[in-house]
Amino acid sequence: MEKHESSAQLKARARSQLLGKYGTLIPALLVVEGCMLLLSTLTTFSLDTRTLSGLTFQFVIEFLLQLFAGIFLAGQTFLYLNVACGGKISVSDVFYGFTHHPDRAILIQLLQLLLCLAYFIPFFICMGLWAAMDSPVVLMIPLSLAFCIGLTGTVVLSLQYSQSFYILLDFPEFTALQCLRFSREVMKGNKARLFYLNVSFLPMYLLGLCTCCIGFVFIIPYFNAANTCFYLELMLYRNRQGAGGT
């Protein structure tokens, strides 16, 4: 039986694809991060986060910004698919999502965020009780357990729906729900593989912190390229298995 490529093989392929392309990928990354930082600053600079209403408004604004980031994620996905497939790339690729089904990109992001928030409902309840009680120490264990449940659920959901934006671009006729369902389907039995691939970048991210975050401009494109290789290998393997079964 044909085996999947290892994380080392996927990362090696990603490195070879990135050769000579950092001159475009780094500015593209900085454009996206700069746009999101500017939007965040403009919408939250006047908020007083020392009050409950201020914190609530900040949460709502950050939630809306995450939805808006879904459009950039679609553009980023388009950019790295072009890198992986040897297509022509440009910094403007990050804006691809603004002209190609931005509503679906936002809806995919919205549904994922809502599912992740659902896992944190027990944590939010415990936090409310914590703030209301005179002796909140008794909630330390429930609060910690609720946070672990929320974190674990979020990680699983992120892996399960990690291919949604790739699918959106590969199957433009799909609705947002169909993209999420197809991602869940193709990730059955593959979540551990992607988790291991992503965790293998942790030492590099720690190294990036040691360089005052300057190293991230090289690490993040490498990470994105490796994840794109994962998707393409996953779909190729699926197609081969399907062809073999007919």
Side-chain angles (χ1 to χ4, degrees):
M1 180 182 290
E2 184 181 359
K3 293 183 179 180
H4 284 288
E5 290 186 15
S6 66
S7 294
Q9 289 173 314
L10 292 173
K11 291 168 78 173
R13 193 196 306 174
R15 288 194 299 272
S16 66
Q17 293 169 355
L18 291 172
L19 292 175
K21 296 185 174 69
Y22 273 106
T24 300
L25 297 176
I26 291 177
L29 172 64
L30 295 177
V31 165
V32 173
E33 294 300 322
C35 288
M36 293 306 299
L37 178 61
L38 179 62
L39 283 173
S40 179
T41 302
L42 290 175
T43 53
T44 61
F45 79 98
S46 61
L47 290 178
D48 184 3
T49 55
R50 293 171 297 178
T51 64
L52 180 59
S53 60
L55 285 172
T56 303
F57 275 117
Q58 183 182 36
F59 176 81
V60 171
I61 290 172
E62 291 295 337
F63 185 84
L64 293 175
L65 286 174
Q66 285 301 311
L67 294 184
F68 184 73
I71 305 177
F72 276 122
L73 283 173
Q76 176 182 280
T77 303
F78 176 74
L79 173 63
Y80 283 93
L81 280 173
N82 280 333
V83 169
C85 297
K88 185 179 179 180
I89 62 172
S90 69
V91 175
S92 62
D93 287 344
V94 296
F95 299 105
Y96 179 85
F98 286 88
T99 56
H100 295 77
H101 310 298
D103 54 330
R104 298 182 197 174
I106 290 175
L107 187 54
I108 287 173
Q109 190 80 334
L110 172 63
L111 293 173
Q112 291 187 80
L113 287 172
L114 290 177
L115 288 171
C116 290
L117 284 174
Y119 274 101
F120 273 99
I121 288 176
F123 176 74
F124 294 144
I125 293 173
C126 288
M127 283 294 292
L129 294 173
W130 175 284
M133 291 182 64
D134 294 329
S135 301
V137 180
V138 295
L139 285 175
M140 281 293 294
I141 293 178
L143 190 65
S144 300
L145 287 175
F147 179 77
C148 289
I149 291 171
L151 183 62
T152 302
T154 298
V155 170
V156 172
L157 281 173
S158 297
L159 294 169
Q160 190 166 257
Y161 298 117
S162 58
Q163 311 307 303
S164 300
F165 284 99
Y166 295 107
I167 293 167
L168 175 65
L169 297 180
D170 262 354
F171 303 90
E173 72 278 9
F174 279 14
T175 65
L177 284 173
Q178 286 175 318
C179 291
L180 291 167
R181 290 192 191 113
F182 193 41
S183 176
R184 186 174 62 215
E185 179 185 337
V186 298
M187 285 303 291
K188 287 179 180 177
N190 292 293
K191 289 188 284 293
R193 290 180 56 237
L194 182 57
F195 180 76
Y196 179 79
L197 173 64
N198 290 343
V199 167
S200 69
F201 280 90
L202 282 179
M204 297 191 69
Y205 275 98
L206 292 174
L207 183 62
L209 289 173
C210 295
T211 61
C212 299
C213 298
I214 296 174
F216 286 143
V217 297
F218 298 97
I219 298 168
I220 292 175
Y222 181 21
F223 177 87
N224 291 335
N227 274 266
T228 303
C229 288
F230 176 91
Y231 167 74
L232 292 174
E233 191 273 340
L234 183 65
M235 297 304 291
L236 181 62
Y237 179 88
R238 177 184 172 85
N239 290 338
R240 286 175 176 172
Q241 293 297 103
T246 58

